[in-house]
Amino acid sequence: MKAEPSPALSPRDADAGFSVRPDHQWNGAYPAWPADAGRAAVALGGRAGVMEWIEGLRRTTRQGPPGQAHFVEEAAPTVDGGARKAPGQFPYLIDWACSSAGAWCEFVVGGVLGVEVGLDGVVTADWPADVAGSLTMTTSEGAVTVGADRPSP
């Protein structure tokens, strides 16, 4: 996976010139698409590239949590090295409150951390080696450090 935003349409697509909406056209992406693309890349064996890509995602959140849409670099300059969020003003009319938080939670918890909830409600975690031992979580029982195969107190 390339460490780039996932545009909705190619700039070479004939339909790309009919809208300036960065959540549907060549100039940006609706935030759920990159989250789902990252999760799919991890599932298909592209974890190393995704882990590099996360750094750019972290820079983008300096403007706040993922919202409705972000611009690609060809359409608008970055802010502190992260993709610029689309404004709510005309002609974009993007609502920052329209979040894709569920997609990002699934990407981080399921894709990056390897946590899964089975249909029977059983929670399992296959902690990836690049996460094991480097993450501390706070639970109702106190802080735990993520181990190679399970959390340990």
Side-chain angles (χ1 to χ4, degrees), residues 17-80:
F18 294 103
S19 173
V20 294
R21 296 260 324 252
D23 55 340
H24 294 290
Q25 296 297 330
W26 72 272
N27 53 348
Y30 177 71
W33 298 343
D36 288 341
R39 192 166 44 97
V42 169
L44 294 171
R47 181 177 178 77
V50 169
M51 296 307 287
E52 292 176 20
W53 180 58
I54 287 177
E55 175 59 24
L57 298 177
R58 184 187 64 78
R59 290 189 306 265
T60 296
T61 62
R62 290 179 182 161
Q63 298 171 64
Q68 176 70 12
H70 293 81
F71 286 112
V72 292
E73 289 181 21
E74 295 83 2
T78 62
V79 174
D80 292 330

Side-chain angles (χ1 to χ4, degrees), residues 85-102:
K85 286 188 175 187
Q89 294 80 20
F90 185 80
Y92 305 105
L93 305 174
I94 301 303
D95 182 0
W96 281 23
C98 182
S99 179
S100 58

